[in-house]
Amino acid sequence: MDVYGLLGNPVGHSLSPSMHEAAYRELGMDARYVIFEPEAESLRAALQGASALGIKGLNVTIPFKQEVLTMVELDELADRIGAVNTIDLTGDRPTGHNTDAVGARRALTDHAVDVDGARAVVVGAGGAARAIAFVLADAGATIHIANRTKERAEELATAVPKSTGHGLGDLPELLENADVLINATSVGMEEDESPVPAGALNRHLTVMDIVYRPLETRLLRDAEEAGAATIDGAWMLLYQGVAALERWTGQDAPVEAMNETLRAELAGESGAFK
Ligand code: NAP
């Protein structure tokens, strides 16, 4: 039996085990996906132990996405982003990758968004925003980063090509001529709130929210009302998992089965805000 898993602490209720195990069933693999919650001081030992035990691959979540940077051989994108969410243990040495970035791009292209040459507005300047800004820049987009703490947006903009940094107050002006808007903050998860004023949205936009609990955020509802196209947060979650699975197994992921399982899990969760 092959073992894969998720490293984090605390992990809480993760959707990854059911999503990945749905893929293993579909592919006829004898495999399990397990949650591991090591203490921070044991992280290096946990990784070495995982390798020694023949574990094939690990996803990495809060608070370890940066901590593992020094413990694995980084691919070029993960190195530039400065965060790892997928570790491949199938080779001689553990390698670190950022499939959050890849997942965000695929969520957009899968919804017919032509990223090359697009004018994108990314709200947020944390870990997810960083991954998204770099991958959009690589794909040829021009990016405006708007964040509550303006200085963090400006700092990120100095690292990302063809980007500018702003406070949230600039959003109405930035959105007048934008093609794509991505919420990469946690706003919308705890409360029915949006980081973007509804009046700043328009029907020419494609709006992606990476918050997936709840799936239908205030921002996406406002976007629909404004006539914009919308992409919910489960798409990025799905495609980061797809990219990880394909890296670990070398097989094409059964995207439909993974998507169905993910959405069934999310639909079955009680309570809109958690
Ligand atoms: P993070 O590094 O902690 O960054 C949080 C961001 O949200 C910062 O830009 C922060 O602004 C902003 N923020 C927080 N509270 C705010 C508020 N009340 N008003 C305005 N801005 C606020 O977190 P992260 O890792 O980037 O994750 C962000 C969200 O993305 C989380 O909800 C996470 O679950 C989700 N996510 C989804 C996926 C997916 O696959 N769909 C993948 C990764 C993450 P300041 O800089 O001003 O504090």
Side-chain angles (χ1 to χ4, degrees):
M1 183 179 70
D2 291 339
V3 177
Y4 302 88
L6 174 62
L7 272 182
N9 194 352
V11 171
H13 177 59
S14 170
L15 299 160
S16 292
S18 28
M19 176 171 72
H20 281 273
E21 291 190 353
Y24 306 152
R25 280 193 299 279
E26 195 73 13
L27 292 170
M29 288 169 59
D30 181 16
R32 291 292 309 277
Y33 187 102
V34 184
I35 304 290
F36 299 106
E37 296 180 295
E39 297 301 327
E41 55 273 22
S42 309
L43 186 60
R44 189 177 289 274
L47 260 181
Q48 287 164 345
S51 277
L53 289 169
I55 290 172
K56 303 274 184 196
L58 292 167
N59 286 130
V60 184
T61 188
I62 290 167
F64 299 141
K65 286 185 180 186
Q66 279 85 36
E67 275 78 349
V68 299
L69 285 170
T70 57
M71 303 176 192
V72 295
E73 197 170 293
L74 298 175
D75 77 9
E76 192 268 334
L77 182 60
D79 191 19
R80 257 188 307 142
I81 293 169
V84 162
N85 80 316
T86 297
I87 297 175
D88 186 356
L89 296 167
T90 57
D92 296 338
R93 276 184 295 183
T95 56
H97 312 272
N98 194 306
T99 68
D100 279 339
V102 180
R105 187 180 56 204
R106 186 152 170 203
L108 290 167
T109 54
D110 198 53
H111 287 81
V113 176
D114 187 3
V115 182
D116 190 4
R119 290 159 299 187
V121 174
V122 175
V123 189
R130 203 177 156 81
I132 291 168
F134 273 107
V135 86
L136 290 183
D138 285 356
T142 306
I143 302 132
H144 301 298
I145 303 160
N147 193 46
R148 175 177 61 179
T149 312
K150 185 181 173 188
E151 295 71 32
R152 287 187 81 193
E154 288 171 340
E155 199 183 317
L156 179 53
T158 61
V160 176
K162 288 200 290 177
S163 73
T164 57
H166 306 264
L168 295 179
D170 289 350
L171 279 171
E173 195 184 331
L174 294 173
L175 289 172
E176 273 174 26
N177 295 309
D179 303 303
V180 185
L181 165 67
I182 300 164
N183 174 37
T185 73
S186 48
V187 179
M189 200 163 70
E190 298 293 334
E191 285 144 8
D192 192 27
E193 284 177 7
S194 166
V196 183
L201 301 168
N202 65 67
R203 67 188 172 86
H204 303 293
L205 284 168
T206 296
V207 179
M208 179 159 93
D209 202 333
I210 73 164
V211 169
Y212 53 84
R213 280 184 174 122
L215 260 188
E216 197 182 69
T217 57
R218 172 79 170 265
L219 171 64
L220 292 187
R221 290 203 314 275
D222 289 346
E224 262 164 37
E225 260 175 45
T230 60
I231 304 171
D232 68 44
W235 291 106
M236 174 173 165
L237 186 64
L238 168 70
Y239 284 124
Q240 63 75 32
V242 163
L245 183 130
E246 291 183 343
R247 177 170 291 282
W248 295 330
T249 66
Q251 303 199 56
D252 287 342
V255 177
E256 217 163 292
M258 293 170 78
N259 189 32
E260 269 172 28
T261 303
L262 186 58
R263 283 175 188 279
E265 284 264 322
L266 282 166
E269 289 182 356
S270 60
F273 297 104
K274 49 181 171 165

